[in-house]
């Protein structure tokens, strides 16, 4: 039913992006949280229904589809925007804030889009905003990573656009509705491929660990929350129950933690864990039961909170110490105690420790997969949970805060602004609050289940503690193997590099060879011929054209000079000259007659 109780949360962020370039003074940064606070108010006061219907070029666009699924994602997006804008208030670069505002507005636009045209516009707005969050780090590595990131998402956007156009041609509608897996058409596979690029589904994920570690300190905080989770939302909306997603999500969950365990850069470790944790969500969507779908949504909600907090913690390390590489960190627990404490809240959350929100979301997906008799999926997700605690819960904080050399105590650290602590504290409180009182989150889950999930049972608590204990033992046994060291671990991007090298060898170099030969031939033959033609043209211009023109000019000048000499102003001379010419004419006529 159409109602008027709807304020689109994207409006405030678009307005912020529009006015930031024109603000003056030194207090403009206090305006940054304003659209985020407005977004929280808008989400918690809007009512379900269809809002903001727009007729454009004969098409009906729906900008405000509000239901349980869109509300739960919009809610966590709004909360994250408050914490993110608080965390970024100290940044003086307005370009970063403009890019972040456009990026967040794109996320809200996608969540409330009721048709594919609206979705595509905001989808591309997210791509543009996030690209600048990488480029504006202004290093050579970030510029190259931003360029690769934009190419990747352009390709994903083109896949999505091709699917939308073919679908419109076949069905005559842009409506964003669920797609049945049993009778999939080409356009549905193209749309799915476009969504999977943003979801970082293996092997389409290389852009994420490439770009996120090279983004700005505050930009990566926003990026870890919106791109992949928007993709999870559209997959849950349109592709629930697609079997291929269950398999893809399980592979993502295991693959991400394996790479995270061998990484050295803290932000790259967290980037691989985005791949892994989104794998839980994608797998839950693929299984397609009410339990696993709720698990995917709950885990997306929890993941945004603790992953944002993790990136904030490692961002503080980068801000204070100037590096996020574990082999160059260590001994910071006593010097950055609050960063360590807040980081550990997020680390225990992502690991599924009881009392934290990861415990109430991750176990739901695994339990739902087991109840649906998807044993391999449940087993794969359990294995991924072990790797998560090893890499993020133990390895990263151990080498960043406790490991290291005695000389690390002499490191000069930049003071961390108060607002960075404020943003981290908001997310830390929510991570604990949801873990202690899961109904705060469960009340918003969109799918009705026959038997409500109860996380705080003896079995679930015991299972989580046993799993975490086994993970700690595994870290102790493998501590020398997974010690961080300098170097870049190539992922599937090694295939892209091979394609680029092959293109350089078999396409670019032969073309360069032909171009060199042509240049030489032109220089020895063609250039001399052209020089000869040019010399002939010069001769013709000087001898023929200039001769005629200059000769005519000299003749006219001579006649003019003679006329000037004869015109001396004497009347008697003029009469005599006239009589002379008359006698000459008379004599000529008499002679001829």
């Amino acid at each position: 039913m159409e109602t008027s109780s709807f304020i689109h949360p994207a409006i405030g962020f678009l307005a912020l992006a529009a006015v930031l370039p024109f603000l003056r003074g030194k207090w403009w940064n206090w305006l940054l949280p304003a659209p985020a606070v407005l977004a929280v108010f808008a989400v918690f006061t809007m009512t379900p229904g269809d809002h903001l219907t727009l007729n454009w070029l004969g098409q009906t666009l729906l900008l405000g589809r509000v239901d349980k699924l869109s509300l739960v994602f919009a809610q966590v997006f709004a909360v994250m925007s408050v914490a993110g804008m608080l965390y970024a208030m100290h940044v003086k670069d307005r370009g970063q804030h403009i890019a972040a505002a456009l990026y967040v507005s794109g996320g809200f636009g996608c969540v409330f889009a009721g048709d594919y045209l609206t979705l595509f516009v905001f989808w591309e707005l997210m791509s543009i905003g996030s690209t600048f969050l990488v480029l504006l780090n202004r290093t050579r590595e970030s510029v190259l990573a931003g360029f690769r990131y934009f190419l990747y998402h352009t390709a994903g956007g083109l896949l999505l656009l091709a699917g939308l156009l073919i679908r419109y041609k076949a069905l005559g509608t842009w409506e964003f509705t669920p797609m049945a897996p049993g009778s999939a058409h080409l356009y549905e596979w193209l749309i799915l491929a476009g969504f999977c690029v943003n979801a970082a589904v293996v092997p389409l994920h290389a852009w994420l660990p490439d770009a996120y570690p090279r983004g700005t300190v505050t930009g990566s905080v926003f990026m870890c929350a919106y791109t992949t989770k928007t993709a999870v939302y559209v997959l849950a909306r349109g592709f629930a129950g697609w079997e291929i997603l269950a398999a893809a999500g399980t592979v993502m969950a295991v693959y991400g933690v394996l790479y995270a365990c061998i990484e050295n850069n803290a932000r790259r470790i967290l980037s691989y864990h985005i791949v892994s944790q989104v794998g839980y969500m994608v797998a839950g969507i693929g299984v397609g039961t009410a339990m696993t779908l709720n698990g995917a949504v709950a885990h997306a909600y929890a993941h945004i909170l603790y992953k944002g907090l993790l990136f904030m913690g490692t961002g503080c390390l980068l801000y204070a110490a100037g590096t996020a590489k574990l082999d160059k960190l260590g001994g910071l627990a006593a010097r950055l105690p609050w960063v360590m404490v807040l980081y550990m809240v997020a680390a225990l959350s992502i690991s599924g420790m009881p009392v934290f929100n990861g415990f109430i979301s991750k176990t739901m997906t695994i339990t739902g997969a087991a109840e649906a008799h998807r044993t391999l999926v449940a087993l794969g997700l359990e294995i991924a949970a072990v790797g998560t605690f090893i890499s993020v819960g133990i390895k990263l904080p151990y080498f960043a805060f406790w490991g290291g050399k005695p000389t690390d105590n002499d490191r000069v650290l930049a003071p961390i602004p108060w607002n960075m602590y404020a943003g981290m504290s908001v997310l830390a409180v929510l991570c604990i609050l949801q873990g202690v009182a899961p109904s705060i989150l469960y009340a918003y889950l969109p799918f009705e289940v026959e038997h409500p999930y109860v996380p705080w049972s003896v079995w679930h608590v015991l299972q989580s503690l046993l799993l975490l204990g086994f993970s700690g033992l595994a870290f102790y046994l493998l501590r020398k193997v997974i010690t961080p060291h300098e170097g870049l671990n190539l992922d599937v991007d090694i295939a892209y590099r091979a394609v680029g090298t092959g293109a350089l060898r078999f396409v670019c170099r032969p073309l360069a060879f032909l171009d060199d030969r042509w240049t030489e031939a032109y220089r020895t033959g063609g250039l001399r011929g052209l020089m000869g033609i040019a010399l002939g043209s010069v001769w013709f211009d000087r001898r023929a054209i200039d001769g005629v023109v200059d000769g005519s000019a000299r003749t006219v000048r001579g006649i003019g000079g003679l006329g000037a000499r004869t015109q001396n102003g004497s009347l008697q001379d003029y009469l005599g000259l006239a009589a002379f010419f008359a006698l000459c004419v008379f004599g000529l006529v008499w002679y001829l007659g």
Side-chain angles (χ1 to χ4, degrees):
M1 182 177 68
E2 289 281 351
T3 64
S4 59
S5 56
F6 177 79
I7 302 173
H8 203 301
I11 294 175
F13 292 97
L14 292 174
L16 177 66
V19 303
L20 269 180
F22 307 102
L23 296 179
R24 295 292 179 266
K26 60 180 180 179
W27 304 108
W28 58 268
N29 57 327
W30 286 92
L31 185 63
L32 296 178
V37 174
L38 175 63
V40 172
F41 172 80
V43 170
F44 280 92
T45 57
M46 63 180 58
T47 55
D50 293 342
H51 311 268
L52 295 182
T53 300
L54 175 65
N55 293 316
W56 181 71
L57 296 179
Q59 306 297 328
T60 300
L61 307 181
L62 178 59
L63 278 70
R65 175 170 57 186
V66 181
D67 57 17
K68 288 185 176 181
L69 183 59
S70 60
L71 271 176
V72 68
F73 276 89
Q75 186 182 116
V76 69
F77 280 5
V79 171
M80 182 62 205
S81 69
V82 173
M85 287 298 180
L86 272 175
Y87 185 80
M89 281 181 61
H90 67 283
V91 176
K92 301 303 181 183
D93 184 357
R94 302 190 190 203
Q96 293 188 36
H97 299 305
I98 293 172
L102 294 176
Y103 178 54
V104 175
S105 66
F108 279 114
C110 290
V111 164
F112 288 115
D115 61 273
Y116 276 113
L117 271 183
T118 303
L119 174 69
F120 181 76
V121 171
F122 284 104
W123 192 267
E124 292 304 299
L125 181 60
M126 288 183 64
S127 175
I128 296 171
S130 54
T131 297
F132 279 98
L133 290 176
V134 181
L135 294 175
L136 288 173
N137 202 21
R138 293 183 173 88
T139 65
R140 182 178 184 276
E141 292 77 12
S142 67
V143 170
L144 294 175
F147 180 69
R148 291 189 294 267
Y149 177 91
F150 185 70
L151 288 179
Y152 221 117
H153 284 273
T154 298
L158 290 175
L159 288 172
L160 176 59
L161 180 60
L164 303 186
L165 294 175
I166 297 173
R167 181 179 183 272
Y168 180 76
K169 181 68 175 179
L171 304 180
T173 179
W174 298 106
E175 188 178 3
F176 186 9
T177 55
M179 302 185 186
S183 57
H185 300 83
L186 173 62
Y187 54 79
E188 290 168 324
W189 288 108
L190 289 172
I191 293 172
L192 178 61
F195 288 164
C196 285
V197 170
N198 275 30
V201 173
V202 177
L204 305 175
H205 69 288
W207 57 269
L208 197 156
D210 179 36
Y212 283 22
R214 297 182 171 96
T216 65
V217 169
T218 57
S220 292
V221 170
F222 286 104
M223 292 172 70
C224 77
Y226 291 91
T227 298
T228 50
K229 262 57 75 184
T230 302
V232 168
Y233 165 78
V234 294
L235 288 174
R237 171 77 69 184
F239 292 91
W242 281 56
E243 181 64 27
I244 190 173
L245 292 179
T250 306
V251 171
M252 291 171 65
V254 177
Y255 188 94
V257 295
L258 291 178
Y259 262 89
C261 287
I262 63 174
E263 277 297 334
N264 178 43
N265 187 305
R267 297 208 296 175
R268 193 167 167 88
I269 291 174
L270 298 182
S271 298
Y272 272 112
H273 268 290
I274 294 177
V275 176
S276 177
Q277 296 297 298
V278 172
Y280 282 83
M281 307 167 207
V282 173
I285 293 169
V287 174
T289 66
M291 176 74 81
T292 59
L293 286 171
N294 275 344
V297 174
H299 201 48
Y301 199 117
H303 179 268
I304 288 174
L305 299 181
Y306 63 64
K307 184 60 71 173
L309 181 53
L310 287 169
F311 265 92
M312 287 179 177
T314 54
C316 285
L317 294 178
L318 179 60
Y319 183 90
T323 182
K325 295 181 178 180
L326 298 184
D327 65 326
K328 293 180 171 57
L329 293 173
L332 297 178
R335 304 184 65 187
L336 298 173
W338 284 110
V339 174
M340 182 270 294
V341 170
L342 294 170
Y343 173 87
M344 287 309 301
V345 171
L348 295 175
S349 296
I350 193 175
S351 301
M353 177 72 74
V355 181
F356 301 94
N357 62 355
F359 169 71
I360 69 168
S361 62
K362 182 182 295 186
T363 52
M364 183 188 297
T365 304
I366 297 174
T367 302
E371 290 182 354
H373 306 291
R374 306 302 299 274
T375 306
L376 291 179
V377 174
L379 182 61
L381 299 183
E382 289 282 19
I383 293 173
V386 174
T388 299
F389 186 52
I390 290 175
S391 54
V392 178
I394 304 178
K395 172 187 172 179
L396 196 158
Y398 173 77
F399 288 107
F401 294 109
W402 290 284
K405 304 173 288 297
T407 55
D408 291 330
N409 293 325
D410 300 327
R411 186 196 309 269
V412 177
L413 299 179
I416 296 176
W418 67 269
N419 60 284
M420 297 179 79
Y421 285 117
M424 295 174 70
S425 299
V426 170
L427 297 184
V429 168
L430 291 174
C431 286
I432 298 174
L433 192 60
Q434 285 183 351
V436 174
S439 59
I440 294 175
L441 172 58
Y442 288 175
Y444 296 99
L445 296 182
F447 301 99
E448 297 294 334
V449 294
E450 185 177 352
H451 303 291
Y453 177 68
V454 181
W456 283 103
S457 66
V458 174
W459 166 243
H460 285 145
V461 173
L462 181 61
Q463 182 186 33
S464 295
L465 293 177
L466 286 173
L467 193 66
L468 294 173
F470 174 76
S471 303
L473 177 62
F475 174 80
Y476 177 77
L477 297 175
L478 298 173
R479 64 190 184 280
K480 294 182 179 180
V481 177
I482 62 176
T483 298
H485 57 275
E486 183 66 34
L488 177 64
N489 299 308
L490 292 179
D491 198 344
V492 296
D493 54 348
I494 193 172
Y496 310 148
R497 294 175 185 233
V499 171
T501 303
L504 180 65
R505 179 174 300 173
F506 297 109
V507 178
C508 298
R509 288 179 180 173
L511 290 177
F513 175 81
L514 293 176
D515 180 68
D516 290 341
R517 302 290 79 76
W518 166 252
T519 301
E520 185 64 27
Y522 170 77
R523 182 165 51 246
T524 58
L527 185 59
R528 291 179 180 177
L530 290 177
M531 289 298 294
I533 295 173
L535 290 174
S537 300
V538 170
W539 181 88
F540 179 77
D541 177 68
R542 291 178 177 176
R543 300 295 183 179
I545 298 177
D546 288 353
V548 173
V549 174
D550 294 346
S552 300
R554 285 193 292 269
T555 302
V556 172
R557 186 179 63 180
I559 296 173
L562 179 61
R565 287 194 295 273
T566 58
Q567 296 179 12
N568 56 13
S570 173
L571 182 60
Q572 294 86 347
D573 292 342
Y574 292 159
L575 291 175
L577 184 61
F580 173 75
F581 277 115
L583 288 175
C584 291
V585 172
F586 176 77
L588 180 61
V589 172
W590 178 79
Y591 174 77
L592 294 176

